[in-house]
């Protein structure tokens, strides 16, 4: 019987350390920012069931942002629920699914839990987590039912160029005509400062499914509101039926608050993009000062990036010392193995702390690096 595998990433929803650089979100929206707009002055709100597809008004707001029709949108209990419903609907035991890795583990787990045979498309630190189209082509076959990608990726924050996505759509049509391209775009709008967000993927083709949520860019993870967008009416109805059969509907309270988030999205996203730009610059400066110990892949968007301990300094015991030192300073990063990456790699989330908090947290990482590096080869951190 299929089971969801354990993964230490579940620790992110338990007690947090003082400096949590393992998180991949930005500052959370406060309930007080939304209540008046969501419920009005008297908050006379009927706690009925919601609709299986999701609130029509909320679906329209989502559709407006993605250039699709409201009927193309299915509202889900967070993006992870959308990924599960897609896997459950499209894959049967023995079907093949290709997953780009490293990956947010719940995306892979959803496919494995329904019995799909997952084939990994490896993305590497040394190649900047860019997709190798030739390697992808070799993994595809008429048995492929799903190709699961994320753009920007989690854990790296690297985006897939629009031209590459178009080439992938054409490749699927030729080599895996039964496959659906699933693109998790949760971080798409988490651009830096005045940078433009990448265009959405929903318009790439009829066999493309876009998944996103309010958790990352909109500071509203606690609402548990996500969505799947598909232009295929039969698939959309199947997803609605699967949603009804698992959770019936989303909470109408969450949907009303989500609608208020969308109606303040320019302010909410704008504030977070400004913070992301400041924190990214601080992080980039910090990496430059510590180039003797670590290297990184600069992200394209999102509140996260991948860093790698230098192999010549960090053997396996040194990696263990690094994490032990971080724990002593009540600081946490996300180890690469959570995502199927090299043990020398870790995900660093720079979007949650204030600029001052991030500076202090990075100094804790600096000390941990110094303490952990092999004594014979350790370099002074300046």
């Amino acid at each position: 019987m299929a089971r969801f595998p354990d993964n230490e990433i579940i620790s992110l929803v338990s007690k947090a350390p003082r400096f949590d650089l393992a998180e991949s979100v930005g500052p959370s929206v406060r309930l007080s920012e939304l209540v008046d707009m969501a419920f009005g002055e008297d908050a006379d709100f009927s706690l009925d069931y919601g609709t299986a597809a999701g609130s029509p008004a909320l679906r329209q707001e989502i559709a407006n942002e993605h250039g699709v029709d409201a009927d193309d949108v299915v509202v889900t209990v967070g993006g992870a629920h959308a990924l599960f419903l897609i896997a459950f609907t499209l894959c049967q035991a023995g079907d093949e699914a290709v997953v780009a890795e490293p990956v947010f583990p719940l995306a892979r787990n959803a496919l494995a839990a329904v019995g799909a045979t997952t084939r990994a498309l490896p993305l590497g630190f040394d190649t900047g987590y860019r997709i190798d189209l030739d390697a992808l082509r070799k993994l595809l076959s008429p048995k492929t039912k799903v190709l699961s990608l994320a753009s920007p990726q989690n854990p790296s924050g690297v985006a897939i160029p629009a031209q590459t996505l178009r080439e992938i759509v054409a490749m699927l049509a030729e080599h895996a005509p039964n496959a659906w391209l699933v693109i998790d775009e949760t971080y798409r709008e988490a651009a830096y400062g005045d940078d433009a967000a990448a265009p959405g993927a929903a318009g790439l083709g009829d066999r493309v499914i876009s998944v996103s949520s309010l958790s990352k860019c909109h500071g509203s993870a606690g609402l548990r509101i996500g969505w799947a967008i598909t232009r295929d009416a039969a698939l959309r109805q199947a997803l609605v039926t699967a949603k009804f059969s698992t959770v019936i509907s989303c909470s109408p309270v969450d949907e009303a608050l989500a609608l208020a988030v969308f109606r303040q999205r320019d302010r909410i996203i704008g504030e977070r993009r400004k913070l992301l730009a400041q924190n990214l610059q601080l992080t980039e400066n910090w990496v430059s000062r510590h180039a003797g110990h670590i290297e990184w892949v600069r992200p394209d968007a999102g509140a996260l990036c991948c860093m790698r301990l230098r192999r010549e300094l960090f053997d396996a015991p040194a990696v263990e010392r690094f994490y032990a030192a971080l724990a002593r300073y009540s600081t946490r990063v996300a180890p690469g193995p959570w995502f199927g990456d090299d043990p020398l790699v870790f995900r660093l989330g720079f979007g949650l702390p204030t600029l001052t908090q991030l500076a202090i947290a990075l100094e804790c990482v600096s000390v941990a690096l110094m303490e952990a590096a092999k004594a014979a080869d350790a370099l002074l951190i300046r």
Side-chain angles (χ1 to χ4, degrees):
M1 186 179 295
R3 290 286 188 271
F4 292 111
D6 290 331
N7 190 299
E8 284 300 312
I9 199 170
I10 198 172
S11 65
L12 292 180
V13 292
S14 60
K15 184 178 179 180
R18 181 184 180 194
F19 300 115
D20 197 355
L21 301 182
E23 264 296 358
S24 58
V25 298
S28 295
V29 170
R30 306 293 297 182
L31 183 61
S32 59
E33 300 177 60
L34 306 176
V35 168
D36 287 348
M37 182 175 288
F39 305 123
E41 292 183 2
D42 57 3
D44 184 14
F45 188 86
S46 179
L47 296 179
D48 301 322
Y49 282 114
T51 64
S55 154
L58 179 57
R59 287 190 288 115
Q60 186 62 62
E61 290 286 347
I62 294 168
N64 291 344
E65 296 303 324
H66 290 268
V68 298
D69 296 329
D71 284 345
D72 298 328
V73 179
V74 180
V75 180
T76 58
V77 186
H81 186 220
L83 292 171
F84 176 77
L85 294 180
I86 291 166
F88 183 84
T89 300
L90 295 180
C91 294
Q92 299 181 16
D95 285 340
E96 292 186 1
V98 177
V99 182
E101 298 184 4
V103 63
F104 176 56
L106 275 63
R108 179 183 55 227
N109 293 353
L111 292 160
V114 300
T117 300
T118 59
R119 307 184 72 186
L121 172 64
L123 309 178
F125 188 99
D126 288 327
T127 55
Y129 297 103
R130 302 295 178 185
I131 289 178
D132 182 333
L133 292 175
D134 289 335
L136 172 59
R137 186 178 295 106
K138 293 174 183 177
L139 294 172
L140 299 176
S141 78
K143 296 181 180 179
T144 307
K145 289 296 184 67
V146 167
L147 169 58
S148 180
L149 306 176
S151 183
Q153 299 157 358
N154 183 359
S156 69
V158 172
I160 304 173
Q163 178 58 33
T164 300
L165 288 173
R166 287 191 290 268
E167 292 179 31
I168 290 172
V169 170
M171 186 185 300
L172 288 176
E174 180 178 357
H175 297 282
N178 297 317
W180 294 82
L181 174 58
V182 180
I183 304 181
D184 184 342
E185 299 188 289
T186 301
Y187 295 97
R188 181 179 65 84
E189 292 191 272
Y192 304 132
D194 295 328
D195 290 355
L204 284 172
D206 292 339
R207 297 187 71 82
V208 176
I209 309 169
S210 168
V211 172
S212 192
S213 78
L214 294 182
S215 297
K216 308 300 183 182
C217 307
H218 302 78
S220 303
L223 291 183
R224 307 311 307 132
I225 291 292
W227 54 88
I229 298 175
T230 173
R231 312 302 290 271
D232 187 283
L235 175 59
R236 174 190 172 276
Q237 185 55 52
L239 293 174
V240 170
T241 300
K243 176 189 171 184
F244 176 76
S245 300
T246 52
V247 298
I248 299 180
S249 71
C250 293
S251 161
V253 176
D254 286 352
E255 290 188 338
L257 291 168
L259 189 59
V261 170
F262 268 98
R263 290 173 176 171
Q264 299 182 57
R265 68 179 303 280
D266 290 345
R267 175 187 66 81
I268 289 170
I269 293 179
E271 291 172 353
R272 280 150 187 78
R273 286 179 176 175
K274 181 178 179 181
L275 175 67
L276 284 176
Q278 294 173 341
N279 285 10
L280 176 64
Q281 187 61 60
L282 177 65
T283 302
E284 187 167 16
N285 294 342
W286 180 84
V287 170
S288 296
R289 294 198 306 271
H290 298 80
H293 286 79
I294 59 170
E295 51 192 332
W296 78 327
V297 174
R298 193 183 192 277
D300 297 313
L304 69 178
C305 63
C306 280
M307 299 193 178
R308 185 169 67 182
L309 303 169
R310 291 209 174 266
R311 198 174 302 277
E312 62 271 21
L313 297 180
F314 291 87
D315 55 13
V319 172
E320 292 182 6
R321 290 196 299 272
F322 171 66
Y323 285 105
L326 285 177
R328 288 196 299 275
Y329 298 113
S330 193
T331 303
R332 176 169 64 181
V333 297
W338 285 6
F339 311 95
D341 210 338
D342 188 315
L344 291 171
V345 173
F346 60 89
R347 185 185 77 181
L348 186 139
F350 54 83
L352 182 60
T354 65
L355 194 63
T356 299
Q357 291 169 340
L358 179 60
I360 298 171
L362 289 174
E363 286 310 305
C364 292
V365 181
S366 298
V367 176
L369 288 170
M370 181 181 293
E371 292 183 2
K374 291 186 292 186
D377 297 323
L379 303 173
L380 290 176
I381 297 180
R382 298 180 181 180

